[in-house]
Amino acid sequence: MKINDALFGVVFVLVASAILITVQSFPTLPDQPYGPATFPTIIATIMMLGGIALCISGYRERAHQPLIRLAAVMKTRDGLVRMACVPVFMVLYILLSKPVGFPIVVPVLLAAFLTITTRKWLISVIIAAATTTLLWLFFVDFLMVSLPLGILTQVIY
């Protein structure tokens, strides 16, 4: 899918405007020319300038391409199913991760997603198990972020 730069430019300008409006309410530091709003203001200004540049670029390209152009695969049933799987699996993870647990939900969802997209279930299961293990080790052991255990809480503790 190809989206015209002007659409992204409008989004950037809107987000930058919201940031600039929000940071106006940040407190100032006494006897300081800068405060908590300084860095977000700089970033939002750069975002706004980039967004304006994208709008200009997209406006110039509008004669050569439509605002949104779908790839050929997006016009097929399989392409639509694959595209719909991403938000569906994200919502399923959000709903199931706490009650069921990360070590159970992630490999199942990942294996299902990979099987739908590649149609090779054995490789999908192996990749899902390995990826879940690596994610668990990285987040829990290295970053020390607790991931939900869900029903495994009683088994492990």
Side-chain angles (χ1 to χ4, degrees):
M1 180 164 59
K2 172 75 170 117
I3 299 174
N4 189 302
D5 288 345
L7 292 178
F8 285 117
V10 168
V11 171
F12 270 51
V13 168
L14 291 174
V15 170
S17 300
I19 292 170
L20 288 172
I21 291 169
T22 303
V23 299
Q24 298 305 312
S25 65
F26 287 8
T28 58
L29 299 173
D31 300 326
Q32 294 290 329
Y34 54 87
T38 303
F39 187 68
T41 301
I42 293 169
I43 297 299
T45 304
I46 293 169
M47 271 182 73
M48 186 169 286
L49 292 173
I52 291 169
L54 283 172
C55 286
I56 292 168
S57 169
Y59 182 76
R60 289 181 183 157
E61 290 178 0
R62 77 189 188 310
H64 306 294
Q65 73 175 33
L67 286 178
I68 298 174
R69 184 180 60 208
L70 293 177
V73 72
M74 298 302 294
K75 296 176 184 175
T76 65
R77 181 182 170 278
D78 285 345
L80 291 174
V81 168
R82 290 177 185 152
M83 188 174 80
C85 283
V86 174
V88 167
F89 285 141
M90 286 173 61
V91 169
L92 285 173
Y93 173 77
I94 291 168
L95 294 175
L96 297 174
S97 65
K98 276 196 177 180
V100 179
F102 180 91
I104 297 172
V105 170
V106 170
V108 170
L109 291 179
L110 190 55
F113 178 74
L114 291 172
T115 302
I116 289 170
T117 56
T118 65
R119 306 211 191 296
K120 298 177 181 173
W121 69 270
L122 184 59
I123 293 173
S124 298
V125 169
I126 293 168
I127 290 172
T131 303
T132 304
T133 304
L134 290 174
L135 285 172
W136 181 268
L137 293 173
F138 181 71
F139 280 100
V140 173
D141 292 340
F142 182 68
L143 295 178
M144 291 186 255
V145 174
S146 62
L147 295 174
L149 286 172
I151 58 177
L152 295 177
T153 304
Q154 285 83 20
V155 175
I156 294 175
Y157 298 111

